[in-house]
Amino acid sequence: MFTSFHSDPPKVVIAPIQQETWVPAEEITMEGRLNSGLETVKANVKHNITLGFQQVQPYPTNDVEAMIVGGGPSLKRDIEEIRDLRERGVKLIALNNAYQYCLDYEIKPSAYVMVDARPFNLRFVENTIPECKYFIASQCDPSVFERLEAVKDQTYIWHTSAEEIQDILTAQYPKCFPVPGGSTVLLRAIPLFRMLGFKRFHIFGCDSCLEDGAHHAYEQKENDEQAVIPVRVGGKIFYCNPWMVSQAREFIDLVGCMGDVMELNIHGGLLRQILESGAERAALEEM
């Protein structure tokens, strides 16, 4: 019996992923746009799909409880709850450098997800472990796949639903399963693991807002010195970098565009407030 989710936070139901492409209704704005040039992304995809990594494919729905862990500032507060859930057998899906943060606390992720095509992401997978499976988007920098060659049997390539790369994928694969979603790793990880059969998620460290001026639980200089935008949702004000505002808007799209078979329990931040307030797009108000 599924009892690990708290009874008080709201649960949001999301429909099964269909094979057709889905993209958010609203054009991604400001720094939520693609952070690598399109030609770089296409070149990465063309190269990486020839390397022989096993490709992600859909699986039947399971009843396994999982948590998606990002690097937002609330991660510091919640690390012991994450440890407790992990010790109870809950699967841990780490995003970006939250993977190393968990390892630093001697918490071993079950899976890792990367979508960002910038080369600096290589440092996020410097330390691999036997217990983890690595899910790397085909648009990621080739150095990431080179690093993971040593654990190739644990590494899976997956593809975004961006229209610009579909002809490249079709030319390489008899069949592939592009993952829909938004402009951040969280907004791809949710549909990716729903496609893999998971339906019950805790979401940690995916705040989509600053906390005491911090954008992550750890130092990440690439995100320093970004603009700060106050956003009001359900009577509360949150301070966000532009990409966080885009993520929040797209998260509302994600919830609204998909249906009724996935439970989310979000711990902290703007995204939790969106669920608690039942906010619609119009209620996400920049000030």
Side-chain angles (χ1 to χ4, degrees):
M1 181 177 180
F2 180 69
T3 58
S4 295
F5 278 73
H6 303 301
S7 59
D8 52 331
K11 296 187 172 99
V12 174
V13 238
I14 298 180
I17 302 298
Q18 304 300 319
Q19 291 189 22
E20 60 266 27
T21 298
W22 171 81
V23 293
E26 179 172 309
E27 181 181 356
I28 298 168
T29 58
M30 298 179 289
E31 293 183 33
R33 293 183 184 274
L34 193 67
N35 54 31
S36 297
L38 178 58
E39 292 309 311
T40 297
V41 166
K42 291 173 71 174
N44 289 353
V45 172
K46 285 181 181 179
H47 174 79
N48 295 332
I49 62 177
T50 67
L51 300 178
F53 283 85
Q54 52 199 323
Q55 188 183 196
V56 162
Q57 58 184 336
Y59 278 79
T61 298
N62 64 57
D63 202 40
V64 177
E65 187 178 353
M67 51 182 157
I68 296 175
V69 178
S74 69
L75 178 58
K76 284 185 177 180
R77 275 198 314 277
D78 292 333
I79 193 66
E80 292 307 319
E81 184 171 358
I82 292 167
R83 185 194 307 280
D84 179 65
L85 288 172
R86 190 74 186 96
E87 289 175 350
R88 288 158 48 192
V90 176
K91 302 296 185 183
L92 195 168
I93 303 159
L95 311 180
N96 293 341
N97 212 22
Y99 168 80
Q100 185 60 51
Y101 191 88
C102 289
L103 289 179
D104 289 344
Y105 279 84
E106 299 183 344
I107 304 171
K108 294 181 178 179
S110 313
Y112 172 80
V113 184
M114 181 188 295
V115 67
D116 196 316
R118 291 174 290 182
F120 74 77
N121 287 272
L122 174 62
R123 73 174 188 265
F124 298 163
V125 290
E126 286 180 350
N127 299 314
T128 57
I129 58 174
E131 298 89 344
C132 187
K133 296 185 184 300
Y134 300 88
F135 294 85
I136 311 299
S138 55
Q139 68 181 29
C140 290
D141 191 81
S143 63
V144 175
F145 285 95
E146 181 179 351
R147 172 67 185 85
L148 293 173
E149 184 73 31
V151 289
K152 196 168 187 176
D153 60 332
Q154 299 168 225
T155 304
Y156 296 80
I157 191 169
W158 60 277
H159 321 287
T160 75
S161 55
E163 291 183 9
E164 294 84 354
I165 67 169
Q166 298 312 306
D167 58 337
I168 302 172
L169 300 177
T170 300
Q172 175 68 23
Y173 297 109
K175 193 171 187 180
C176 67
F177 303 91
V179 177
S183 60
T184 67
V185 64
L186 170 66
L187 298 175
R188 295 287 174 169
I190 293 173
L192 170 62
F193 276 84
R194 184 64 192 91
M195 186 176 78
L196 291 172
F198 294 85
K199 66 179 183 179
R200 293 175 172 175
F201 296 101
H202 293 279
I203 310 290
F204 289 98
C206 298
D207 308 329
S208 214
C209 63
L210 304 171
E211 186 173 299
D212 296 327
H215 47 68
H216 284 80
Y218 40 79
E219 182 179 278
Q220 187 157 301
K221 292 183 178 180
E222 291 84 0
N223 292 92
D224 290 348
E225 300 180 2
Q226 294 187 8
V228 176
I229 302 168
V231 172
R232 181 167 52 208
V233 175
K236 292 185 179 181
I237 296 174
F238 298 83
Y239 293 90
C240 311
N241 294 147
W243 71 266
M244 298 172 178
V245 179
S246 292
Q247 176 171 261
R249 287 173 170 161
E250 293 177 275
F251 175 74
I252 296 171
D253 281 329
L254 183 76
V255 171
C257 291
M258 303 168 68
D260 63 356
V261 294
M262 184 162 67
E263 295 177 344
L264 300 180
N265 182 14
I266 298 185
H267 298 249
L270 173 58
L271 297 190
R272 179 183 174 97
Q273 178 67 10
I274 287 171
L275 292 191
E276 287 188 331
S277 64
E280 298 176 354
R281 174 170 304 282
L284 183 63
E285 178 184 355
E286 292 183 30
M287 300 176 62

